[in-house]
Amino acid sequence: VDFVGDAVGLDALWADLCGGSGCRVHGRRLPFWNRVREHRELLSTDSHPYLLHHAIEGVPVFPLAAACDLLAFVAGVPHPYEVRDLRLYAGITVETPVPLRVVVRGDRAEIRFGERDTLAYRATVIPAEPVELPAPATGGEPPSLTVDAFYRDVTFHGRALQGLVSVDGVGRHADPDVDFARGRVRGSRPVDWIPRTPRSAWSVDPLALDSAFQMGALVAWQRYARAGTPVSLGRMIAVSYTHLRAHET
């Protein structure tokens, strides 16, 4: 029990005495559980043909959105849950088959690849407190760059990764004082991306998430004539399979 303050510790102790069962542990930054999970798969353009549609200068690259789904899937935290501080450490190019190893220890999840077991992605996956779905952003003006022109002239995404349907408004919130882009994206099924997968549902739909990143890229291109690929995700709350709230960094 954390006795940094008497009230905090006594409240926790009293709550356990009144309704707790089994072993109870309280402390700072404790993981949701202390189990270890490991998952391995071979990544190739034959088994994962969507990679051919996520090729930068002709080189297939494993996208951050797919990493987010894989980390959440192996972690197995029930809804609602958070994926927090997802970061890219080394890109995974798939010109030849690449072995992946996903390891979850407590609430820390990692993707490693290759013979050297190189760290590619790391994130924290934890239960989320119940949240209310935010009201959709209103106002703003649609960008002059159309989605069709973005896919034709700007970005590298092939047909299977073209999930951005529309960008309906770009503007700025008064409270909080942040920019926003509002639009619509498509969803997908695991079999659409990985034909022989045993999975029936995504943990995080990578097409929807990647298309949300693409919306940010479209706006960045119009404003600054430059854009990039995502290298981190600050926080995403998966309320259910069909509802997720993301904060892009």
Side-chain angles (χ1 to χ4, degrees), residues 42-114:
L42 187 66
L43 198 64
S44 75
T45 55
D46 289 333
S47 58
H48 299 66
Y50 76 88
L51 292 166
L52 295 171
H53 299 259
H54 194 265
I56 301 175
E57 296 183 349
V59 178
V61 177
F62 184 62
L64 183 141
C68 185
D69 166 71
L70 192 55
L71 291 167
F73 168 67
V74 178
V77 179
H79 291 94
Y81 64 84
E82 294 184 23
V83 178
R84 179 177 291 181
D85 297 328
L86 170 58
R87 296 188 181 280
L88 167 67
Y89 289 86
I92 303 175
T93 57
V94 194
E95 295 179 279
T96 58
V98 178
L100 292 186
R101 187 171 74 97
V102 187
V103 182
V104 178
R105 293 184 177 88
D107 56 19
R108 174 170 287 188
E110 295 181 345
I111 296 177
R112 294 178 173 272
F113 71 100

Side-chain angles (χ1 to χ4, degrees), residues 113-242:
F113 71 100
E115 295 181 357
R116 296 185 177 182
D117 206 33
T118 303
L119 175 63
Y121 292 94
R122 176 180 289 157
T124 299
V125 186
I126 57 176
E129 296 295 327
V131 295
E132 294 185 6
L133 293 177
T138 59
E141 297 293 332
S144 58
L145 178 63
T146 66
V147 172
D148 287 343
F150 175 68
Y151 282 131
R152 184 184 64 244
D153 302 329
V154 177
T155 189
F156 59 86
H157 297 84
R159 176 179 48 80
L161 270 290
Q162 293 179 4
L164 182 57
V165 176
S166 66
V167 183
D168 305 320
V170 178
R172 191 168 186 84
H173 283 297
D175 184 23
D177 187 21
V178 293
D179 291 331
F180 72 85
R182 183 183 67 254
R184 293 184 297 132
V185 300
R186 294 189 183 92
S188 64
R189 303 170 301 166
V191 71
D192 297 332
W193 279 30
I194 313 169
R196 294 186 293 276
T197 182
R199 296 177 62 184
S200 60
W202 299 116
S203 294
V204 177
D205 188 329
L207 178 60
L209 182 56
D210 195 85
S211 299
F213 288 138
Q214 294 172 33
M215 181 163 55
L218 184 152
V219 174
W221 184 267
Q222 175 164 302
R223 288 185 173 181
Y224 311 115
R226 61 186 300 178
T229 56
V231 296
S232 68
L233 179 68
R235 184 186 185 209
M236 185 201 73
I237 301 176
V239 180
S240 68
Y241 171 66
T242 55

Side-chain angles (χ1 to χ4, degrees), residues 7-38:
V8 174
L10 290 171
D11 286 347
L13 178 60
W14 183 250
D16 288 343
L17 292 174
C18 291
S21 62
C23 297
R24 308 288 289 180
V25 179
H26 296 275
R28 293 182 181 274
R29 299 181 59 83
L30 290 174
F32 172 58
W33 45 36
N34 61 0
R35 70 181 184 179
V36 177
R37 287 182 142 189
E38 183 169 317

